[in-house]
Amino acid sequence: MQKKWFKLFIWFVTTSFFFALAAILISMFRFGPTEQEVMQFMMGMMKAMDSSLMGLSMQVKEDTNIHSLMNQSIAFAFPLLSISIAAGVYVRCRRKV
């Protein structure tokens, strides 16, 4: 009983029983949230969703003006991207010669 490993084992067992008892007592005597607390939480989550990227993307999807602007910018961006890739390949091949 005087060895360090035995003292460490006893300390570990005692600590784990303390935390288990504390968890049991907290779960037994803690009541669930009230309806008002749940509603406040849900309202906060909805406000957070409105300002998040998912909320912004949903607003963009519903707005027809922004949706048409995005379609036009995509239609304009792909040819520019292919031209820039072709120009980069041309410059890269030209410098090797």
Side-chain angles (χ1 to χ4, degrees), residues 1-16:
M1 291 186 152
Q2 297 297 325
K3 297 193 181 219
K4 286 189 176 187
W5 67 268
F6 188 75
K7 289 181 180 180
L8 185 64
F9 177 73
I10 294 297
W11 177 83
F12 179 73
V13 169
T14 306
T15 307
S16 63

Side-chain angles (χ1 to χ4, degrees), residues 72-86:
Q72 289 175 357
S73 66
I74 289 171
F76 188 67
F78 279 125
L80 285 178
L81 183 63
S82 59
I83 290 170
S84 66
I85 289 173

